[in-house]
Amino acid sequence: MFKAIFAQIPNSITCLNLISGCIAIVMAFKGCYGWASIAIAAAAVFDFLDGAMARLMKAYSAVGKELDSLSDLVSFGVAPAAMVYNILPEEYSWIAISIPVCGALRLARFNVDTRQTTSFIGLPIPANAIFWIGAVSWMEANGPFDAWIMIPATMLEAQSMLDPIQLVSLKFSNFKLNTENCLRYFIIAAAIVLTVIFGLPGLSLTIILYYLLGLIYPFLP
């Protein structure tokens, strides 16, 4: 009995991810972008913890895998799209729909692609959410970009989740100074420096840097 209860702990944490994503959507439609960003950040923490707990307890399940993807789509696809939709002028706010659509395709591909065990192909959907936390923070302070910039930029960012570019996973299996870990340390250090200098918009710059590193990642020893 206790074994069955403990086996549900990872899925319960995944549900907290989903709840956080739903809260983020509500906050976005209220115009509370700071609180929406905090809720998305909480979802990211729960997304990390559910996987860590599943590995620790050896409580893997097909249901858990599907629940994780569905929760990620809400928290890291729909929630940031809701922020973008509400902060943009009505005449081109529709472009935000491309974010969860590409996010859903990204997650569906990930679930059936056996090549993405230690690295990713295309921008991971949590990184997509982090990018938009930074971008919306900048637009909240400075105003949205014009349509001729925002429409193609949003479509390119959404498309980045489907691009055939290999990106290093930021999950550490050990802390040795090998090539992949050096990239991870560099990205983490860059995130800290850019956020200190630019505030939350530094997160968007970090994700751009992360993506660009994917251009050289396949050629590293």
Side-chain angles (χ1 to χ4, degrees):
M1 174 175 147
F2 287 108
K3 185 176 180 180
I5 293 174
F6 281 123
Q8 295 305 313
I9 290 177
N11 287 349
S12 299
I13 297 174
T14 304
C15 287
L16 293 176
N17 170 359
L18 177 58
I19 291 169
S20 298
C22 292
I23 292 172
I25 294 169
V26 173
M27 290 296 102
F29 276 94
K30 289 180 178 291
C32 301
Y33 303 117
W35 285 110
S37 296
I38 291 172
I40 292 173
V45 172
F46 291 129
D47 185 48
F48 171 80
L49 290 177
D50 65 1
M53 188 61 68
R55 288 188 293 272
L56 180 65
M57 302 180 65
K58 294 182 173 57
Y60 302 103
S61 69
V63 170
K65 181 180 180 181
E66 297 303 322
L67 180 62
D68 185 70
S69 290
L70 292 169
S71 299
D72 285 356
L73 178 58
V74 172
S75 297
F76 309 129
V78 179
M83 294 172 66
V84 175
Y85 179 86
N86 282 281
I87 203 168
L88 292 181
E90 185 176 353
E91 59 266 25
Y92 59 96
S93 61
W94 53 268
I95 194 61
I97 296 172
S98 64
I99 300 170
V101 171
C102 290
L105 290 170
R106 169 73 179 83
L107 289 166
R109 289 183 180 182
F110 177 80
N111 285 348
V112 298
D113 192 343
T114 56
R115 297 172 296 168
Q116 301 189 58
T117 53
T118 59
S119 63
F120 298 119
I121 298 175
L123 188 72
I125 194 169
N128 162 76
I130 292 171
F131 174 88
W132 287 115
I133 287 175
V136 169
S137 175
W138 192 93
M139 288 188 284
E140 191 175 15
N142 301 281
F145 294 97
D146 292 334
W148 67 273
I149 296 176
M150 197 66 200
I151 292 175
T154 302
M155 294 181 70
L156 284 172
E157 194 284 333
Q159 174 63 35
S160 70
M161 289 186 278
L162 304 177
D163 288 344
I165 184 171
Q166 189 176 8
L167 298 167
V168 63
S169 168
L170 296 181
K171 293 181 180 179
F172 288 87
S173 58
N174 59 65
F175 298 99
K176 297 177 181 178
L177 290 177
N178 55 36
T179 300
E180 290 188 348
N181 279 351
C182 284
L183 276 176
R184 294 181 179 109
Y185 289 129
F186 176 75
I187 294 165
I188 292 170
I192 294 171
V193 171
L194 290 172
T195 304
V196 168
I197 295 173
F198 299 105
L200 285 180
L203 295 175
S204 296
L205 297 176
T206 302
I207 299 304
I208 292 172
L209 175 63
Y210 175 48
Y211 181 86
L212 292 176
L213 286 173
L215 299 176
I216 64 171
Y217 175 65
F219 303 102
L220 295 176

